Amino acid sequence: MSLYPNSSRVLVTCHANADFDAFASLIAASFLYPKSLLLFPGTQEKNLQKYYAACNRARYRFVERDDIDWDSIELLVSVDTRQASRLQHVQALLNRPAMPIHAWDHHPATAGDVQPSYAVVEPMGACVTLLVRALRAMPAPPALSHDDATLMGLGLYGDTGSFTFSSTCPEDFECAAWLLLQGMDVNAIAEIALPEMTSLHVQTLNSLLESMQHYTVKGLDVIVATVVLDDYMGDFAQLAHRVLEMEKADALFAVGQMADRVQVVARSRKEDINVGAICTKLGGGGHAYAASASVRDLTLNEVSALIFQELCAQENPQKLASDYMSSPAIGIESTATVHEADELMLHFGLKAVPVFSPGTRHCAGIFDAQTAARATGHGLGNEPVSVYMQRNVLTISPEASLQSITDTIIGARQRLVPVVEQDEVKGVVTRTDLINIFADEPSQLAKPDKNPRKERSVAKIMQEKLPRALRDILHTVGALGDALNMPVYTVGGFVRDLLMEVPNQDIDLVVEGDGITFARALAKQLNGRVREHHKFLTAVVLWRDEEGQEQHVDVATARLEYYQYPAALPTVELSSIKMDLFRRDFTINALAIRLSHGQFGRLVDFFGGQSDLRRKAITVLHTLSFVEDPTRCLRAVRFEQRYHFALSGGTERLFKNALSLNLMERLSGARLFHEIQRICDEENPLACFLRLHELGLLKAVSPHLDLPPHKISLLNNLQEIMDWYHLLYFDEQPVPWLVYLLGLCRLLSYPEAMTVLERLGLPLSQRQDFLQLREQLRRVLPKVEQWQRTVEKEDFARQKSALYALLHGLPIEGLLYLMAKSGNEAMRRNVSRYITQWRTAKSDINGADIIALGVRSGPRVGEILQQVLAAKIDDLAPTRESQLQWALRLVAEGSAPSGQGQQNKA
């Protein structure tokens, strides 16, 4: 058998999501392996899609995957990759025992490579160079057409950056020279390889330039630039190349959120910055000078953080575990009780400790505070730690690298890694240690002589949109921060709404320092007082303004929240402003404004919040966001509907994944109810409920909360009635959650409604009040409907008091529900009259007047007054004089019934 068989039993393919070099290598291989079949696995690059659709596929023997007779294939040829993860479209052949495989590749080896029977692997600028060299070496090189040579040249020019990338080698130029002799059209290559810039390209390029962060790694300038796009951009790599050329940097990582994935394109001019190694860590591939990755299970911020982490590892490869560990390690013996371990961790403020074998420092396992709390809660505090400790523990040596530490803590999700030497625990590195390492790295890597992340000034917006008194407070806060040497920021919803020009005067402050100390100083300066919450390192400062109105600001210490288990309340630790913002729910809420003098009004946006505001997207900051706090699912819908935004593709996927894990079940009723309350307080709660129903979240809260058409209609009526009532500007305001919960519980049986109320954590008294009101409305509604039918036949003016008697005593929430529930417009109008006119009506005489008529003090006085009021409502006794006469008649003749009886007396 020839080295390059001339057979249709040979299948040639390349990596998934092919580029021009992979495609060109396929074409070159078709000449090297005559009669072979070519399998193109597809691409996201639009230019390559067009080129593939237009090329003569029959000439090159391209076949569709479904048309392949897999059993007949005797040789697999892989070009431009050896990674099994990028060859899943031929998995059937890879799984075949002793399958002959030829590999042509210019990328370095990785752990997931296939093991070929024949391989040509050299670090050329392009893979097609290897194949063209083989063609040239043939005894009778094939005759290429102009199109053949041009197509191969496309791959060569693309992967060498038109011979500008540092990976370009002499063989690439020799390849180009030979292809030029074969008729390669360089003008055609220039048109295809450098497509015309559209408005979307320009916008994306601007976003990349605006988001750039410069780092110094090994004395070289490295840029990390990010952008968020609604759809996949196939020629994203071209924009990355333009950024690198414009900035003249040594290396670039262009990171783009595109629909359900994060695309990374990396380029390096220097061998000291190995972008291929970093992209391989992300699940992609490439070589030291050019690489890419497509990541589906991480957010944009998480991918950027991983890139940064790898840059840190390349910058400081000499730092070892012994440099980072806490020593000596605080631990506990395996024979100690759970309670003793819990006390030890509480005393030292630890979340986990190594467990030692009795009488030694040998590592037997790890025991964490979460397990201790659960065991204690189940009455197991006196059990030995050995029963519940984590046994399969990864350890490292003191010589382990930062990368090894990261792989253990992040990759293996191990909160604590023991550092072991000669079978004894010398120290530990915790997740908090790792976070602090990376939190400190920006100052080490940031390049001062290059533009850092550009911070937009919003000082002018603050001047134009904020009241003077509010601006004065913010300046006061900034000046105080300067005096105390504590950088201060206003953060969260206040910043978000300022950028959206939505009124919001609720200020949240974050202090890089001691937030409680700062709050005390601010309260003193404002002649106010402070409420302190030491557990969460927060405080509320309260004071009175010039008009005597009480004002407040919330002050927090920059902090990072850890969720010990899904749906838990957060644990708080000190951190920087970046880590504080990273703990927040969505990118649009992870914005901050500097208040320090000289930097006042500078907008801090680490996570693309401005971009998401522009594209109207709700995006989480990391993939475990909904898992750690499922109430964020409810908040996501609330913000989405409030601002007419949409969940980003990746966020909606994570949302649905959280629901599939049934995480809502782990939330306490109180937390659920708090979020439902806030939804009911929204301007358009119906839109929120409809979206919750669409996403399956309403049923996840309680299986009894569904939205059939009749309930949607009722909720719509309730919302309209609530809007109507708010326009009356009455002092008495209804409780929104009570109104809408009545609608949500319509037609539920008593046990079903009770189940819903219990799930929402309502106290027993509130549950009883709700169910009592529900039953009261159930009895009153048919009576009011009967009254309406009566007045349509008789004199309305003499029936008003009967309606008053039916509705008197109902709370405003019940009255609004009756209006919404009624399908009779006339009845709805009459109930509204009761609310606006008769509900607060009082007679013009009082008990003293009745006693003066000779009635003894007692229940009879009240009965007469009630009858007089009925007469007034029915227009039978509109004045005080007529009411006294009516009372006198009642005293003389005895009480008469209201309504129709009043008419008879008249």
Side-chain angles (χ1 to χ4, degrees), residues 433-504:
D433 293 331
L434 188 64
I435 288 171
N436 289 334
I437 291 168
F438 292 128
D440 291 339
E441 288 295 344
S443 60
Q444 299 173 26
L445 292 184
K447 191 167 185 178
D449 58 337
K450 288 283 186 177
N451 292 329
R453 176 184 292 271
K454 296 180 180 177
E455 290 185 358
R456 166 189 172 196
S457 174
V458 294
K460 185 176 180 181
I461 298 176
M462 297 169 74
Q463 178 69 28
E464 294 174 350
K465 302 298 180 183
L466 298 180
R468 182 187 60 80
L470 191 57
R471 296 198 309 270
D472 290 345
I473 289 296
L474 294 177
H475 281 291
T476 298
V477 165
L480 180 60
D482 291 341
L484 297 176
N485 196 25
M486 295 183 187
V488 190
Y489 307 78
T490 180
V491 300
F494 174 81
V495 181
R496 175 199 66 223
D497 289 345
L498 176 69
L499 297 180
M500 296 183 68
E501 299 187 7
V502 174
N504 183 349

Side-chain angles (χ1 to χ4, degrees), residues 354-370:
V355 178
F356 304 135
S357 298
T360 72
R361 300 280 294 180
H362 299 167
C363 183
I366 291 175
F367 192 64
D368 60 62
Q370 172 192 342

Side-chain angles (χ1 to χ4, degrees), residues 11-29:
L11 181 66
V12 184
T13 191
C14 64
H15 56 78
N17 194 13
D19 55 14
F20 268 109
D21 185 34
F23 186 65
S25 298
L26 282 178
I27 300 302

Side-chain angles (χ1 to χ4, degrees), residues 865-891:
L865 285 174
Q866 188 175 357
Q867 293 300 317
V868 170
L869 177 59
K872 178 181 179 179
I873 291 172
D874 288 337
D875 300 324
L876 298 176
T879 65
R880 173 176 168 80
E881 291 72 19
S882 59
Q883 290 168 34
L884 285 170
Q885 290 297 320
W886 197 275
L888 185 61
R889 189 178 305 142
L890 290 172
V891 170

Side-chain angles (χ1 to χ4, degrees), residues 557-609:
T557 303
R559 66 192 193 273
L560 175 68
E561 293 179 352
Y562 285 134
Y563 291 80
Q564 301 285 347
Y565 55 89
L569 285 171
T571 299
V572 179
E573 293 187 357
L574 294 176
S575 73
S576 69
I577 184 64
K578 183 173 183 179
M579 301 307 291
D580 181 272
L581 294 175
F582 185 67
R583 75 180 174 83
R584 296 174 185 269
D585 47 13
F586 310 112
T587 58
I588 62 171
N589 294 331
L591 296 162
I593 296 176
R594 299 181 187 273
L595 300 179
S596 301
H597 179 70
Q599 293 184 311
F600 186 87
R602 306 296 297 181
L603 182 65
V604 179
D605 180 11
F606 293 109
F607 309 112

Side-chain angles (χ1 to χ4, degrees), residues 76-270:
L76 173 65
V77 180
S78 170
V79 298
D80 204 31
T81 189
R82 286 165 291 156
Q83 288 182 270
S85 61
R86 307 187 78 186
L87 292 169
Q88 294 182 11
H89 51 284
V90 289
Q91 193 67 47
L93 297 180
L94 297 180
N95 291 339
R96 187 184 300 177
M99 178 70 194
I101 300 174
H102 288 190
W104 298 77
D105 197 7
H106 68 136
H107 298 112
T110 66
D113 287 351
V114 299
Q115 300 303 314
S117 53
Y118 172 77
V120 179
V121 179
E122 296 181 44
M124 302 295 179
C127 182
V128 71
T129 297
L130 297 172
L131 290 132
V132 168
R133 186 180 66 182
L135 290 176
R136 292 166 54 205
M138 294 175 69
L144 303 183
S145 70
H146 296 332
D147 289 342
D148 299 333
T150 300
L151 201 157
M152 294 182 200
L154 273 169
L156 179 61
Y157 273 74
D159 247 33
T160 62
S162 299
F163 307 103
T164 63
F165 292 166
S166 300
S167 55
T168 306
C169 61
E171 288 85 346
D172 296 312
F173 285 100
E174 292 172 2
C175 173
W178 187 77
L179 291 174
L180 196 60
L181 291 173
Q182 305 301 309
M184 176 177 67
D185 187 343
V186 292
N187 291 325
I189 289 175
E191 291 179 5
I192 297 171
L194 293 174
E196 182 180 353
M197 292 275 285
T198 66
S199 60
L200 178 59
H201 288 121
V202 174
Q203 292 172 11
T204 304
L205 182 60
N206 285 336
S207 295
L208 288 170
L209 292 171
E210 289 177 358
S211 69
M212 290 188 307
Q213 289 196 84
H214 289 260
Y215 301 104
T216 300
V217 179
K218 299 180 179 177
L220 302 174
D221 181 24
V222 181
I223 293 175
V224 178
T226 59
V227 66
V228 178
L229 300 171
D230 292 328
D231 300 305
Y232 185 84
M233 177 177 283
D235 44 8
F236 185 58
Q238 295 293 340
L239 297 183
H241 181 64
R242 288 178 184 265
V243 172
L244 189 62
E245 287 300 307
M246 294 170 68
E247 292 298 311
K248 305 301 181 186
D250 297 306
L252 166 75
F253 290 86
V255 188
Q257 174 77 57
M258 304 181 189
D260 62 343
R261 76 193 71 182
V262 176
Q263 196 70 23
V264 179
V265 175
R267 298 288 184 263
S268 174
R269 300 181 191 272
K270 308 290 184 180

